[in-house]
Structures are given as structure tokens and as C-alpha cells.
Amino acid sequence: MTLNNNIGQLIYSDTNAVSKINLLKSYYYRLSLEYSKPLSKIDSLNVILLEDQANFLEKELVIKYARLSELKKEIIWEKVQETLGPSEVAIEFFDYKLFTKN
């Protein structure tokens, strides 16, 4: 079982993270507009400000969601079984979309 697909779902289920990701995208977009201008028309103060804001926000997101990288590890049931005590049990939960023909 791998959880790679669930990482994006976990991040995007957090509305605070979604708003920060959207804000980061807006910084990158605004930076791209500045970078596409001729050198004489680039607002260097605005570029520095946008780069600082984008870097800060990116670091914040990476630090907050770095623990999600642990979810990328493949979980092998035999390893889980080895860690269980004699009177312990492991239960796996999952959900799926039910396909119904209409």
C-alpha cells in the first residue's frame, strides 16, 4: 500500500494550506509578469518584495507539511505485523468510490 496519492488530498483538504498555495501562485505569477518586462521597465523593488514574500511563504509551507513526506514511504504489512505485541491487532481502513451503473 502506498500513500503518495493521499498527500495532495491531505494538503488540499486544509483550507489554510490551499489559500497559502494560491497566494504563492499569485506571487509567482506577478513575478513572471515583472520578469517578462524589458530591463528598463522592471520594478526592482517590487521584484525583491515579491521574491521575499514568495520565499517566506514557500518555507512556511515546506516546514508545515514536511511531515507529510513520511507518508510517501511504502507500508508493508509484514513490518507492521512484526511490531505488534501478542495481544495487539492492526486494522486498515480505506474508502473508495462506489461505482453504480445508472
Side-chain angles (χ1 to χ4, degrees), residues 3-14 18 21 68:
L3 300 175
N4 289 331
N5 296 334
N6 293 336
I7 292 172
Q9 290 174 350
L10 288 172
I11 291 173
Y12 282 101
S13 67
D14 180 352
V18 171
I21 290 168
L68 291 178

Side-chain angles (χ1 to χ4, degrees), residues 27 29-35 37 41-54:
Y27 290 153
Y29 176 74
R30 290 167 51 199
L31 277 167
S32 71
L33 293 177
E34 285 294 328
Y35 293 148
K37 293 178 182 177
K41 296 195 180 202
I42 291 178
D43 182 356
S44 58
L45 186 60
N46 190 34
V47 169
I48 291 170
L49 180 64
L50 286 170
E51 285 177 345
D52 285 345
Q53 290 172 326

Side-chain angles (χ1 to χ4, degrees), residues 12 14-15 23 44 47 53 57 62 73 79-80 82 85 91:
Y12 282 101
D14 180 352
T15 55
L23 182 58
S44 58
V47 169
Q53 290 172 326
L57 193 54
V62 167
K73 294 182 179 175
K79 298 258 186 215
V80 174
E82 289 172 5
I91 300 173

Side-chain angles (χ1 to χ4, degrees), residues 45-92:
L45 186 60
N46 190 34
V47 169
I48 291 170
L49 180 64
L50 286 170
E51 285 177 345
D52 285 345
Q53 290 172 326
N55 288 335
F56 178 81
L57 193 54
E58 188 175 340
K59 286 176 188 174
E60 185 180 340
L61 285 166
V62 167
I63 290 168
K64 184 173 182 179
Y65 294 100
R67 67 182 185 273
L68 291 178
S69 67
E70 290 296 312
L71 295 176
K72 289 183 178 181
K73 294 182 179 175
E74 187 173 338
I75 300 172
I76 301 170
W77 72 267
E78 288 93 348
K79 298 258 186 215
V80 174
Q81 186 181 33
E82 289 172 5
T83 63
L84 295 175
S87 62
E88 294 179 321
V89 63
I91 300 173
E92 180 179 359

